[in-house]
Amino acid sequence: MGLNSNRVDHYSGSGHAGQVHTFETTTTDQVTITVSSETKTVHNVCLPPKKSTLQKLRHRLSEVFFPDDPLHGFKNQSRLRKLILALQFFFPIFEWAPNYSFSLLRSDVVSGLTIASLAIPQGISYAKLANLPPIIGLYSSFVPPLIYSVLGSSKHLAVGPVSIASLVMGTMLTEAVPYNQDPVLYLKLAFTATFVAGVFQASLGLLRLGFVIDFLSKATLLGFMAGAAVIVSLQQLKGLLGIVHFTTKMQIVPVLSSAIQHRNEWSWQTIVMGFCFLAFLLATRHVGMRKPKLFWISAAAPLASVILSTLIVTLFKSKLHGIATIGHLEKGLNPPSSNMLYFHGQYLGVAIKTGIITGILSLTEGIAVGRTFAALNDYQVDGNKEMIAIGLMNMAGSCSSCYVTTGSFSRSAVNANAGAKTVVSNIIMASTVLVTLLFLMPLFHYTPNLILAAIIITAVIGLIDYQSAIRLWKVDKLDFLACLSSFLGVLMISVPIGLAIAVGVSVFKILLHVTRPNTGVLGNIPGTQIYQNVNRYREASRVPFFAILGIEAPIYFANATYLQERILRWIREEEEWLAANNGSSLKCVIIDMTAVTGIDTSGLAMMKELKKMLEKRSLQLVLANPGGSVMEKLHQSNILESFGLEGVYLTVDEAVTDISSSWKPQP
């Protein structure tokens, strides 16, 4: 079989210097095989360095939970320095505050006031979207930003209520306890759900389990957010048309039916005024998107609309009696709400479920937004630290009359465009909200509901990203199917079910890739030692007498049976191809293990059984370039002994060269 004298230990350092690249020609059964070699030097495939079970476990846990090695900065430091680094690690404010300057403050004041002009009307609007009193939206724009400014690591993340979390919370809680039936219980559930969301988020960060949120792929989130945006927009027909009795359901058919059935409640004054302001807001949004330097126009438009619409209704209230307004709002700071947390009773399950779902959604949005602006401005955001910051922010918020908050994309974009340098912009925004809560609340008494509806529609319409959906169709049809499934699930069934469909499709996609990995036939690219898929590289040619197969996934219990069946099918097809093209018979099967990153006991059993099956057919099974963990398990299971020196090679080229040279020419 192989030429044992030519095999050199790969880790010994010998057999590499001064090797001459040549081509070797072997004639077998009147068929010429030309393969490249390096002076007939064949390297051994070695086992990885021996480690104890504890060392392996430690290494594995480190790779799973600490891939970024967050404590590397603590090495070789004094105790005092370690204490300072620990404070900076858990409280990023200690990292940037010592170097804070007046020039930075000037930029942060401008950006903070700018996002406050957007946060105040959005806070009121999103609270209505969650079926909460409008004042709760302002409370949620005051305390959480202050907490985040101490714990957060993103310089541009603008914190506050967001549309998706507001929609999901409002939908899930209203299904259990409508606000108009029991306002106190509804508030208790909302604050409890916020507390649960905070605990869940902080736990993910502390336990470094952030990969859990990765089960919501970008494709499924794209469909989910688009579907939610459509539903949210249609729900605003209540405010834009002046309808009093409107459905609380969140499916497209009941919402449209309710709008049509209550035509007698439509108010022409509300319709004219509402759609005029909606057109104005959409126009300013378009200007801000087309010309980023004019971002301040779209940022100031919501507050300007609130002020203008409030003035119109106040001045002409005797003639505009058909327009519904917000009404009285209490002045003052956030009242404590820790006594309203609901930890017992029949609705506790609803609060927990709502908290976990809104926690995942808000965490996904907040971290995605933070990382986006960090990448644009050349700094890094620690995802686990952000989870802790957002979680503690929501836990504190639940005790101060706030509901779920996170980083908003629209406000963060305005914050970045306005020149924010640090999280002090959040402090400026919170200070502006504080002034509003203490002194300006009576001014919102005559603010019409229609302007809140127009603001919500303008904010959520940006979530409908049809261009990305078109790209999904062009690039990955399965991702497009996932996007479409979550979109239709939200529209036709419900928001929670749509989210469940999104997660289900994401998990199904993962299972599909794991259980049905890519395999293919490899061929040699002439004049090289490279072997690539013959379907991808047309110039790659099959090597007579060899079936060279590539596996592009770990071999686990979930795909072992499939891989065995697929390999046998490839062998059968290769035998047919060889017979049809050159009359030669198949003698050796080489499996390229380069992309096989792991193997379990089911995979080992499959390999052992496959080798026996091929031996009965007088076929030699050879493994090329198995990874360290794969080699270790092959050795520990004693399967490696059955392969011998001639059964495992460092590269496909060495396997072909060594094996073909061992075949004696037939007379």
Side-chain angles (χ1 to χ4, degrees):
M1 297 294 289
L3 303 178
N4 297 344
S5 60
N6 293 332
R7 306 202 67 166
V8 180
D9 192 328
H10 178 59
Y11 288 165
S12 67
S14 59
H16 295 279
Q19 292 179 355
V20 180
H21 185 82
T22 63
F23 289 91
E24 179 179 299
T25 301
T26 301
T27 303
T28 306
D29 294 344
Q30 299 180 349
V31 177
T32 300
I33 310 172
T34 302
V35 292
S36 63
S37 67
E38 294 184 352
T39 62
K40 295 186 179 180
T41 299
V42 180
H43 302 83
N44 279 342
V45 180
C46 297
L47 293 169
K50 193 172 182 179
K51 293 181 180 179
S52 65
T53 302
L54 184 60
Q55 287 176 322
K56 292 178 184 176
L57 179 62
R58 183 179 178 182
H59 174 74
R60 187 59 181 163
L61 291 176
S62 175
E63 290 298 314
V64 171
F65 296 107
F66 304 98
D68 54 343
D69 190 14
L71 302 179
H72 70 280
F74 290 80
K75 297 177 182 177
N76 303 320
Q77 300 290 341
S78 64
R79 290 186 178 180
L80 179 60
R81 181 59 182 165
K82 286 181 179 179
L83 177 61
I84 295 173
L85 290 174
L87 286 173
Q88 292 177 347
F89 183 82
F90 291 105
F91 303 97
I93 189 172
F94 288 106
E95 185 174 353
W96 56 262
N99 300 317
Y100 199 72
S101 64
F102 180 77
S103 61
L104 295 176
L105 177 62
R106 185 172 51 191
S107 299
D108 288 335
V109 167
V110 173
S111 57
L113 292 175
T114 304
I115 57 175
S117 67
L118 184 61
I120 292 171
Q122 280 191 351
I124 295 173
S125 303
Y126 290 157
K128 294 282 286 185
L129 184 59
N131 297 320
L132 291 166
I135 191 67
I136 300 295
L138 290 180
Y139 290 158
S140 302
S141 300
F142 171 52
V143 172
L146 294 177
I147 303 295
Y148 183 82
S149 64
V150 176
L151 301 173
S153 58
S154 173
K155 300 176 183 178
H156 299 93
L157 197 69
V159 172
V162 293
S163 57
I164 296 298
S166 301
L167 168 68
V168 173
M169 175 173 282
T171 303
M172 296 184 70
L173 294 184
T174 300
E175 289 178 356
V177 183
Y179 177 79
N180 54 9
Q181 290 185 12
D182 195 338
V184 175
L185 178 58
Y186 190 93
L187 282 175
K188 288 182 177 180
L189 294 179
F191 296 148
T192 306
T194 302
F195 181 81
V196 171
V199 171
F200 180 73
Q201 293 166 336
S203 299
L204 289 182
L206 287 170
L207 299 176
R208 303 188 70 83
L209 297 174
F211 58 84
V212 171
I213 65 174
D214 292 335
F215 281 99
L216 283 175
S217 66
K218 289 185 178 180
T220 53
L221 277 176
L222 180 67
F224 173 79
M225 289 186 174
V230 172
I231 288 295
V232 168
S233 300
L234 291 177
Q235 271 284 345
Q236 304 318 304
L237 291 175
K238 175 183 179 181
L240 287 178
L241 301 178
I243 299 174
V244 178
H245 303 93
F246 199 71
T247 182
T248 57
K249 294 181 179 180
M250 300 297 290
Q251 297 86 26
I252 187 170
V253 175
V255 171
L256 291 176
S257 299
S258 180
I260 295 173
Q261 290 172 2
H262 295 92
R263 292 190 303 272
N264 58 317
E265 297 182 8
W266 291 10
S267 167
W268 69 268
Q269 297 169 326
T270 303
I271 293 173
V272 172
M273 189 173 176
F275 279 95
C276 285
F277 276 106
L278 177 61
F280 168 71
L281 290 170
L282 291 175
T284 56
R285 179 181 178 274
H286 181 71
V287 170
M289 291 180 63
R290 293 293 297 271
K291 298 182 178 181
K293 291 184 178 180
L294 299 178
F295 71 91
W296 56 270
I297 295 179
S298 58
L303 185 59
S305 299
V306 168
I307 295 172
L308 182 59
S309 62
T310 303
L311 285 174
I312 293 173
V313 173
T314 303
L315 294 174
F316 301 99
K317 57 185 176 183
S318 59
K319 297 181 180 179
L320 300 176
H321 57 273
I323 296 179
T325 60
I326 292 177
H328 176 69
L329 295 177
E330 292 287 343
K331 290 194 299 182
L333 294 176
N334 301 34
S337 57
S338 55
N339 61 322
M340 296 185 70
L341 296 181
Y342 183 93
F343 293 125
H344 59 84
Q346 61 177 325
Y347 297 110
L348 179 59
V350 175
I352 293 174
K353 183 170 67 172
T354 303
I356 291 175
I357 292 177
T358 54
I360 291 175
L361 287 173
S362 58
L363 200 59
T364 302
E365 181 175 356
I367 291 179
V369 172
R371 285 175 174 168
T372 298
F373 288 100
L376 291 174
N377 293 275
D378 298 322
Y379 67 93
Q380 287 187 329
V381 168
D382 187 328
N384 288 290
K385 287 166 68 174
E386 286 295 284
M387 292 179 194
I388 296 172
I390 294 174
L392 293 177
M393 176 181 76
N394 280 315
M395 291 171 65
S398 67
C399 298
S400 53
S401 301
C402 305
Y403 76 107
V404 174
T405 54
T406 188
S408 164
F409 186 84
S410 59
R411 289 193 293 274
S412 299
V414 170
N415 197 29
N417 289 332
K421 301 300 181 183
T422 68
V423 288
V424 171
S425 59
N426 276 287
I427 299 177
I428 303 300
M429 178 190 71
S431 302
T432 307
V433 174
L434 172 63
V435 172
T436 303
L437 287 170
L438 291 176
F439 306 109
L440 305 180
M441 296 312 296
L443 301 179
F444 292 99
H445 186 281
Y446 290 107
T447 299
N449 289 331
L450 62 90
I451 198 63
L452 303 182
I455 290 172
I456 290 174
I457 292 175
T458 306
V460 302
I461 200 169
L463 299 176
I464 305 174
D465 190 355
Y466 66 91
Q467 292 179 336
S468 293
I470 293 173
R471 282 196 296 271
L472 285 179
W473 172 257
K474 292 179 179 179
V475 175
D476 191 328
K477 300 297 191 294
L478 192 58
D479 266 355
F480 178 80
L481 179 62
C483 174
L484 185 63
S485 299
S486 56
F487 175 74
L488 294 177
V490 172
L491 281 186
M492 300 299 179
I493 307 174
S494 70
V495 173
I497 296 299
L499 181 61
I501 291 174
V503 175
V505 171
S506 297
V507 173
F508 173 76
K509 184 182 177 183
I510 294 172
L511 292 175
L512 190 62
H513 284 301
V514 170
T515 59
R516 295 296 183 268
N518 291 331
T519 59
V521 177
L522 308 183
N524 178 247
I525 296 179
T528 73
Q529 296 175 307
I530 300 171
Y531 288 77
Q532 288 289 346
N533 194 303
V534 295
N535 291 325
R536 182 182 173 193
Y537 293 86
R538 297 303 174 90
E539 67 271 24
S541 58
R542 289 175 167 86
V543 180
F545 307 107
F546 289 89
I548 306 173
L549 309 176
I551 299 175
E552 300 178 3
I555 304 176
Y556 292 138
F557 66 94
N559 60 21
T561 302
Y562 166 79
L563 285 174
Q564 183 182 29
E565 294 173 350
R566 196 65 187 89
I567 289 171
L568 292 174
R569 177 183 166 188
W570 279 124
I571 293 171
R572 185 184 74 246
E573 293 175 350
E574 283 299 288
E575 287 177 332
E576 294 172 353
W577 186 90
L578 289 170
N581 286 272
N582 56 22
S584 64
S585 60
L586 188 64
K587 292 187 176 183
C588 181
V589 177
I590 300 176
I591 298 180
D592 184 2
M593 305 280 283
T594 302
V596 180
T597 56
I599 189 169
D600 67 358
T601 53
S602 298
L604 293 170
M606 183 275 286
M607 280 292 179
K608 186 175 181 180
E609 184 178 351
L610 180 64
K611 182 171 175 55
K612 289 181 179 179
M613 294 173 67
L614 296 183
E615 284 177 348
K616 291 179 181 179
R617 297 168 59 177
S618 300
L619 293 175
Q620 181 184 0
L621 178 63
V622 173
L623 305 180
N625 195 27
S629 62
V630 175
M631 275 293 291
E632 187 176 31
K633 290 187 178 180
L634 287 171
H635 173 68
Q636 292 173 344
S637 63
N638 297 324
I639 295 177
L640 197 59
E641 295 178 2
S642 64
F643 279 88
L645 288 175
E646 297 79 19
V648 183
Y649 289 84
L650 189 61
T651 66
V652 173
D653 184 73
E654 287 186 2
V656 173
T657 302
D658 191 44
I659 294 170
S660 59
S661 64
S662 68
W663 293 335
K664 295 181 180 180
Q666 299 295 325

